[in-house]
Amino acid sequence: MLIDFTPDKALYPFESRWFESSAGRVHYIDEGSGIPILFCHGSPTWSFLYRKIIGELGDRFRCLAVDYLGFGLSERPPGYGYTIAEHAAVVGELVDHLGLDQFVIMGQDWGGPIGAAVGVDRADRVRGLVLGNTLLWPTDTWPQKAFSRIMSSSPMQRRIVRDNLLVERFLLAELRDTISEAEADHYRKVQPSPGARRGIAAMPGQILAARPFLEQLATDVPARLGDTPTLLVWGMKDMAFRPASFLPRMRATFTDHRVLELPDARHFIPEHEPGAIAEAIVQRFH
């Protein structure tokens, strides 16, 4: 299944590019020149999440943003499991296909572990990390575990695929005072039908199901990437990734880190504070 939606050039002024991965056809953008930055989104978003940051950085960085299979404009291939490990493997294929070297990885939400896994396997090619409102280890906090169990239940899975619940009630409810209706439609229209939503429906269950993957990441990231220059960007009003619960371990993971606290931002930080994030990236890596 491919998504029949063309983004508005006024909102998403980028050329769509395509990569035939081993698992399916992947959509990505590749804008600007300079130090490469790979932007990895979370759920239930897509590369559109990073449009404003890319707009700020395109004259100084080569900005690449990928849609995972099942997200954005990428294919919904039959037989694909929509696991975090599979997403990381496909993004890694794209990185190798493009020959990226000395690149920065930015990851928010699930983009953190997906991007970090790509970096762990290519640590000698990673210049830096930008991590925001994410984790790199198995969660032991009650809100995440409860969310995973509830959203993986049959009734909630039906609502996710039938009503686009994750987009409407989690993403757009948070952003209702932040983005326009036209921008909101860019999140809705890339998940246009129940069949298209299998990828986002799988993500809540991965909070618990991906525990072995995250356990390995908790060992590999400090060992392989612990000395990598890192920028930690945190929405301080995020109730899911509360700073008091997550930032101390993030700080301890990376020996060379800087922290940008966003006092009024919630979870989807690229929508709340794109200018501040872009400025911090320039100061850290340009």
Side-chain angles (χ1 to χ4, degrees):
M1 176 188 292
L2 293 175
I3 301 303
D4 183 18
F5 173 66
T6 301
D8 183 342
K9 284 292 187 183
L11 298 176
Y12 187 79
F14 312 123
E15 177 186 350
S16 287
R17 301 174 187 269
W18 303 93
F19 168 60
E20 297 292 342
S21 78
S22 63
R25 193 175 191 226
V26 173
H27 173 261
Y28 71 100
I29 58 175
D30 186 346
E31 299 285 324
S33 60
I35 297 166
I37 303 184
L38 175 69
F39 292 92
C40 296
H41 65 82
S43 178
T45 62
W46 58 294
S47 55
F48 186 75
L49 176 75
Y50 290 112
R51 68 198 179 283
K52 295 178 183 177
I53 295 176
I54 293 170
E56 297 269 355
L57 296 180
D59 60 340
R60 286 165 286 189
F61 292 84
R62 179 185 175 190
C63 298
L64 305 107
V66 60
D67 299 344
Y68 313 137
L69 293 171
F71 291 76
L73 301 179
S74 288
E75 188 179 4
R76 277 66 170 164
Y80 189 69
Y82 300 107
T83 67
I84 302 306
E86 286 173 298
H87 291 318
V90 169
V91 176
E93 287 183 24
L94 175 62
V95 166
D96 294 342
H97 170 74
L98 296 173
L100 298 186
D101 192 23
Q102 296 307 299
F103 63 104
V104 176
I105 300 168
M106 179 170 184
Q108 182 268 342
D109 188 82
W110 276 118
I114 290 170
V118 171
V120 160
D121 290 340
R122 298 157 184 84
D124 59 333
R125 291 158 55 189
V126 177
R127 183 188 189 102
L129 298 168
V130 184
L131 299 168
N133 297 73
T134 188
L135 52 68
L136 304 172
W137 51 83
T139 183
D140 290 314
T141 62
W142 178 84
Q144 275 86 11
K145 287 184 173 181
F147 179 81
S148 183
R149 292 192 179 103
I150 292 168
M151 290 296 154
S152 299
S153 68
S154 295
M156 297 310 291
Q157 285 284 296
R158 284 194 294 272
R159 290 195 63 192
I160 290 169
V161 297
R162 183 191 66 200
D163 303 330
N164 209 9
L165 180 74
L166 293 178
V167 171
E168 295 292 346
R169 299 301 182 195
F170 290 91
L171 172 65
L172 297 182
E174 175 178 321
L175 299 179
R176 62 181 177 271
D177 297 324
T178 304
I179 64 174
S180 68
E181 190 64 19
E183 289 171 311
D185 278 343
H186 279 63
Y187 287 115
R188 294 185 177 106
K189 290 182 177 180
V190 295
Q191 299 292 351
S193 66
R197 298 171 190 148
R198 294 194 305 271
I200 61 172
M203 291 302 248
Q206 285 293 296
I207 296 170
L208 296 177
R211 188 176 187 91
F213 176 89
L214 293 168
E215 286 175 343
Q216 189 63 50
L217 207 59
T219 298
D220 290 346
V221 169
R224 303 289 314 276
L225 298 172
D227 295 333
T228 303
T230 300
L231 174 65
L232 303 174
V233 183
W234 224 263
M236 303 300 282
K237 291 187 176 178
D238 187 349
M239 294 296 101
F241 290 83
R242 295 172 185 265
S245 300
F246 290 89
L247 263 179
R249 185 165 178 179
M250 279 289 183
R251 289 176 182 267
T253 299
F254 301 102
T255 60
D256 180 8
H257 68 263
R258 298 179 190 172
V259 180
L260 172 64
E261 296 183 1
L262 304 170
D264 297 320
R266 294 171 66 186
H267 181 63
F268 297 101
I269 51 174
E271 290 284 13
H272 292 298
E273 294 284 357
I277 296 170
E279 182 180 353
I281 290 172
V282 171
Q283 291 177 356
R284 185 67 165 124
F285 297 111
H286 193 259

